[in-house]
Amino acid sequence: MNNRTKILSLVAFMFLAITSKAQTSFTIAETGNKISVSGTSNLHDFTLVSEEIKGSAELFVENGAITNIKKVVVTLKTESLESSKSGLTKNAMKTLQPDANPIISYIAFDMPEAGKISGILNVAGYDSDQTFDFTSEMKGGKLHVTAKGNIKFTDFQLDPPSALAGTIKAKDDLQLEINLVLEEEK
């Protein structure tokens, strides 16, 4: 084997070693997940929560930290979002129209920089490009991911909900927090 062949072989080996780095497929665990949507109105603050989350992720992980993503899919049933106040849940469902739009989804394909994930959030049948800050940590053999960001009702062509003939009206701005427990696919 001449020197040129040895060098090309070494470069090819290094390329394969770098490109095959730790891409792992995950599914969202059955428990420990939570999506919270918080906002405020002219009368009080509110939070809608769902723990019925499904999805999968293809990630590049090193030492328990996500270094890049190939694809992330997170879904939940619209009607699974609930408030501790039934009246608030009812008003939210009027706005989100779960019969016509039964699923809320987030599909991400990009990590524009460390600690940020970018994708398409679909709510009430409307897509909106959204970028969220996130952290990840390996605990007990599972990858725990928290993503946070600000969204608006109007991002999805929705009017903020109101009650009592419009005397109580939610503000457009919302805070979204996603807590996921990911298990490596076997």
Side-chain angles (χ1 to χ4, degrees), residues 83-94:
S83 169
S84 59
K85 299 175 180 151
S86 63
L88 200 141
T89 301
K90 184 178 171 184
N91 284 336
M93 291 306 118
K94 282 182 190 175

Side-chain angles (χ1 to χ4, degrees), residues 104-174:
I104 294 171
S105 65
Y106 184 64
I107 300 173
F109 294 98
D110 190 26
M111 194 171 138
E113 60 185 83
K116 295 208 180 279
I117 188 169
S118 183
I120 298 170
L121 181 60
N122 180 287
V123 176
Y126 291 95
D127 292 338
S128 177
D129 292 334
Q130 298 288 331
T131 299
F132 301 117
D133 296 325
F134 79 91
T135 58
S136 62
E137 177 182 20
M138 194 65 79
K139 291 185 203 171
K142 297 179 182 180
L143 186 63
H144 293 252
V145 179
T146 299
K148 297 179 182 182
N150 297 316
I151 60 174
K152 296 178 181 237
F153 283 107
T154 53
D155 290 343
F156 309 97
Q157 301 183 10
L158 296 173
D159 292 325
S162 61
L164 299 174
T167 56
I168 301 172
K169 185 162 177 108
K171 295 190 176 170
D172 193 25
D173 298 315
L174 300 166

Side-chain angles (χ1 to χ4, degrees), residues 47-50 52 78-85 89 93:
T47 300
L48 296 167
V49 175
S50 176
E52 299 175 31
T78 303
E79 64 189 12
S80 72
L81 283 169
E82 295 182 339
S83 169
S84 59
K85 299 175 180 151
T89 301
M93 291 306 118

Side-chain angles (χ1 to χ4, degrees), residues 26-43:
F26 292 90
T27 56
I28 294 176
E30 301 256 336
T31 60
N33 307 294
K34 183 170 145 181
I35 291 180
S36 303
V37 181
S38 301
T40 189
S41 71
N42 58 333
L43 185 61

